[in-house]
Amino acid sequence: MRTSVSKSTHDDYAHLARRHLIPDRGVGKKKLKDLTVEDLDDLYARKTAEGLSPRTVNYIHSVIWVALQRAVKKRMIPYNVARDADPPSMSEQEAKEKTVLSVAQLSNFFRVAGESRNRFEAFFVVAALAGPRPQEILALKWFDLTLPEEMGLPGQMIVRRRVSTSSAGLEIIEGTKGSKGEKVKRRVVYLMPEAVSALKAHRKRYLEERIALADRWEATWRERLETRDLVFPSKTGGPMSRENLAARYFKPLARKADLPEEATLYTLRHTFAT
């Protein structure tokens, strides 16, 4: 599936297969034609007994399901036995609704971000008031934005790419997802006037930083042309890691603003959706 899914997704599939399937005494050595529903149910029971969460066991089930479905398509087996297997049901805790913020919580978070002069303040505003995925905002370039000069007017952003983290490191991948999850080349996102104002303020800070770090940024851009002019780059001018952003910039602010402990970058997107 190396050519049909993203590098990070392929890495996840490969890790689960190498860690939990290939070495397993019940399924690792079995031929496709000999694999049964009972084999899979026994596998899920063993993994649960080893302490894996229902979510992880369901991921393992998904990997098996996809693999066997491709085997059916290639006429290697007549039927996908994973269709009839029973992975553990998600617990009430794991299946609960996504965390979202109240208007008061979000306002307080914005206030704290502004007072802290957080480098990614505009990122958080765009995430909460426009709703793109974090990895899509990190891949934005300035020419993707339409920011009217006149105050109080809305703007727009064109989502064309995303930052992906995989075994290959940080990559900028062209294309993204549409409203129904399908792959699309681009989609247009409406920007409220407040998001436009935040991006304009960020542009000023960005230019100051670009001048101060010009030599380092230009060196990065010479090595990787696709990283030039990112709206939210790292301090070296290249793509910013979502995990790094969350740990160094979001979580300290979230704690200071007394947001729920389980709040993540995606909480801002979920909040927008409400």
Side-chain angles (χ1 to χ4, degrees):
M1 298 189 68
R2 195 180 300 273
T3 60
S4 60
V5 297
S6 70
K7 184 72 173 66
S8 59
T9 299
H10 182 271
D11 286 351
D12 290 342
Y13 284 170
H15 170 75
L16 288 171
R18 295 192 186 108
R19 178 79 179 273
H20 298 293
L21 301 181
I22 295 171
D24 185 80
R25 66 180 186 273
V27 302
K29 300 293 184 181
K30 281 218 168 185
K31 293 183 177 181
L32 281 175
K33 65 181 180 64
D34 296 330
L35 194 65
T36 67
V37 175
E38 287 74 18
D39 292 329
L40 299 186
D41 286 341
D42 289 344
L43 170 70
Y44 304 150
R46 285 195 298 277
K47 293 303 173 183
T48 299
E50 291 172 11
L52 269 62
S53 69
R55 183 181 296 276
T56 301
V57 177
N58 272 271
Y59 282 150
I60 292 172
H61 171 69
S62 296
V63 172
I64 296 172
W65 195 98
V66 170
L68 295 183
Q69 194 59 30
R70 289 177 72 85
V72 171
K73 182 178 179 181
K74 294 177 180 296
R75 305 293 191 272
M76 299 171 72
I77 51 176
Y79 182 73
N80 182 353
V81 295
R83 289 177 177 272
D84 299 323
D86 293 311
S89 60
M90 304 289 279
S91 68
E92 183 177 342
Q93 178 69 16
E94 290 182 305
K96 69 179 181 180
E97 293 183 359
K98 303 294 185 183
T99 300
V100 298
L101 305 179
S102 68
V103 172
Q105 287 174 319
L106 189 60
S107 296
N108 191 45
F109 177 68
F110 286 163
R111 179 187 60 78
V112 170
E115 292 175 352
S116 303
R117 293 189 59 79
N118 191 287
R119 189 168 178 266
F120 288 94
E121 178 187 355
F123 176 102
F124 303 138
V125 173
V126 170
L129 299 186
R133 299 170 180 87
Q135 58 268 37
E136 295 171 340
I137 306 177
L138 289 174
L140 274 179
K141 297 192 176 186
W142 286 107
F143 65 78
D144 297 321
L145 299 175
T146 300
L147 306 176
E149 290 296 330
E150 187 176 345
M151 294 291 292
L153 292 181
Q156 73 173 30
M157 58 188 281
I158 300 177
V159 177
R160 310 175 194 264
R161 64 193 80 79
R162 65 193 186 280
V163 172
S164 174
T165 305
S166 70
S167 58
L170 289 175
E171 296 180 291
I172 297 179
I173 308 296
E174 293 295 323
T176 184
K177 293 180 180 179
S179 59
K180 297 181 180 179
E182 73 277 11
K183 290 184 179 179
V184 295
K185 289 186 178 180
R186 50 174 271 175
R187 73 177 193 278
V188 178
V189 175
Y190 175 88
L191 292 176
M192 297 180 187
E194 294 83 356
V196 172
S197 296
L199 285 165
K200 286 181 178 179
H202 173 73
R203 174 75 173 174
K204 181 180 178 181
R205 291 193 292 266
Y206 166 90
L207 291 173
E208 292 171 351
E209 195 172 75
R210 179 170 174 173
I211 292 171
L213 302 172
D215 291 343
R216 183 67 187 91
W217 286 25
E218 288 291 345
T220 297
W221 295 344
R222 283 194 298 271
E223 293 173 8
R224 299 182 62 186
L225 183 60
E226 76 279 9
T227 65
R228 177 180 285 273
D229 293 333
L230 291 170
V231 176
F232 297 103
S234 69
K235 288 190 174 181
T236 65
M240 182 71 183
S241 160
R242 186 177 71 188
E243 292 76 14
N244 191 8
L245 188 157
R248 292 182 57 192
Y249 296 95
F250 175 76
K251 275 299 183 182
L253 276 186
R255 286 191 289 269
K256 193 172 182 180
D258 292 324
L259 296 190
E261 182 61 32
E262 61 271 20
T264 67
L265 287 177
Y266 262 89
T267 296
L268 300 177
R269 173 174 164 84
H270 298 152
T271 298
F272 171 78
T274 68

